[in-house]
Amino acid sequence: MSCKICGSNDLEEIENKDTYYFCNNCEVIFIDSTEIVSPEAEKERYQGHDNNHQNDGYVKMFRKFISNLLEPNIDFEAVKDVLDFGCGPGPVLADLLREKKFNVDQYDPYFFPEKKFKNKKYDLITSTEVFEHFSDPIKEMELLTSHLKKGSYLAVMTSLHPGPENFADWWYKRDPTHIVFYNEITFNKIASIFDLEIVDTDFEKYILFKA
């Protein structure tokens, strides 16, 4: 057994209802691969979410993502092409970004499976409430970074874990489709692997990388 991020064998098993591993090197936490839910169960879980324009709280979450992370750090005048990676069944963020006059492609393996991003590079890639679902985060990062222009941005939203000592009661892990969890140390490791700069983070759920 080795770490999904850094490859270290220095893993600590965290026993709870399910089995998780904490990497003492990069501090990622991930569930045992035998306990990952099936794609069918994962899709069914997503379909039960009220993730659409009619959900005011859901829309507000993305407006805050734009106003708190993107607008303070990115020159929108220099942004033309955007990819919303893992947009879900109701691509609210993609629509909000289109209101900013961006050209937005959206992709989701279950709901928008057409890979419009093939042979394209982007000024901005957003991936919100997606990274916690990755069974192979490094493979997904290889894909994402291959579609970033030099000097462009990858904006991520995922809740950073509170450490192994507080993990058992952490609300975010209760969703069975959430299978990998990061903190600032993990993201620093990911940045070093892919030669990215961390432009901004709130150390809670936002992280902005620059290629």
Side-chain angles (χ1 to χ4, degrees):
M1 174 73 70
S2 59
C3 175
K4 288 179 177 285
I5 301 297
C6 67
S8 171
N9 295 318
D10 188 8
L11 301 178
E12 175 184 344
E13 187 172 320
I14 303 174
E15 294 285 354
N16 198 341
K17 178 182 177 182
D18 300 306
T19 300
Y20 296 86
Y21 299 95
F22 172 75
C23 176
N24 286 301
N25 183 44
C26 73
E27 300 198 3
V28 71
I29 295 176
F30 58 94
I31 198 168
D32 189 278
S33 59
T34 62
E35 299 177 33
I36 295 175
V37 299
S38 69
E40 293 78 16
E42 185 175 31
K43 183 177 181 180
E44 183 178 0
R45 175 80 178 183
Y46 297 157
Q47 289 172 322
H49 292 169
D50 185 23
N51 294 348
N52 52 56
H53 286 281
Q54 287 69 49
N55 184 335
D56 290 341
Y58 189 66
V59 175
K60 183 178 179 181
M61 177 181 74
F62 288 122
R63 290 195 185 280
K64 287 180 66 176
F65 175 73
I66 292 170
S67 63
N68 291 356
L69 184 65
L70 303 187
E71 289 180 341
N73 294 295
I74 299 175
D75 177 9
F76 278 13
E77 294 295 323
V79 174
K80 179 182 178 183
D81 298 311
V82 178
L83 171 64
D84 185 16
F85 187 87
C87 62
V92 171
L93 178 58
D95 289 340
L96 293 175
L97 292 171
R98 290 186 183 104
E99 290 178 3
K100 304 292 184 183
K101 308 304 180 184
F102 301 144
N103 299 322
V104 183
D105 289 336
Q106 57 201 39
Y107 170 76
D108 188 280
Y110 297 122
F111 304 105
F112 294 88
E114 182 182 358
K115 295 181 178 179
K116 296 181 179 180
F117 56 81
K118 278 190 173 182
N119 303 314
K120 296 179 69 173
K121 289 185 180 287
Y122 295 89
D123 304 299
L124 169 65
I125 297 177
T126 59
S127 191
T128 56
E129 296 297 312
V130 174
F131 269 55
E132 65 275 11
H133 300 282
F134 288 157
S135 61
D136 190 342
I138 292 300
K139 181 180 178 180
E140 300 292 351
M141 278 296 299
E142 288 172 349
L143 174 64
L144 290 169
T145 54
S146 73
H147 293 283
L148 285 173
K149 298 176 184 178
K150 183 62 179 176
S152 62
Y153 297 88
L154 170 62
V156 175
M157 179 167 65
T158 186
S159 290
L160 275 62
H161 73 71
E165 65 278 3
N166 297 308
F167 186 74
D169 298 321
W170 188 39
W171 66 275
Y172 199 63
K173 60 171 269 296
R174 295 174 192 161
D175 186 327
T177 68
H178 292 183
I179 59 176
V180 58
F181 309 95
Y182 316 78
N183 66 9
E184 60 270 24
I185 292 173
T186 316
F187 279 125
N188 277 319
K189 182 62 178 179
I190 289 172
S192 69
I193 292 171
F194 291 96
D195 194 23
L196 301 171
E197 173 191 356
I198 295 178
V199 175
D200 193 14
T201 178
D202 66 351
F203 302 101
E204 293 181 4
K205 60 182 179 179
Y206 296 154
I207 185 88
L208 183 65
F209 298 99
K210 186 175 182 179

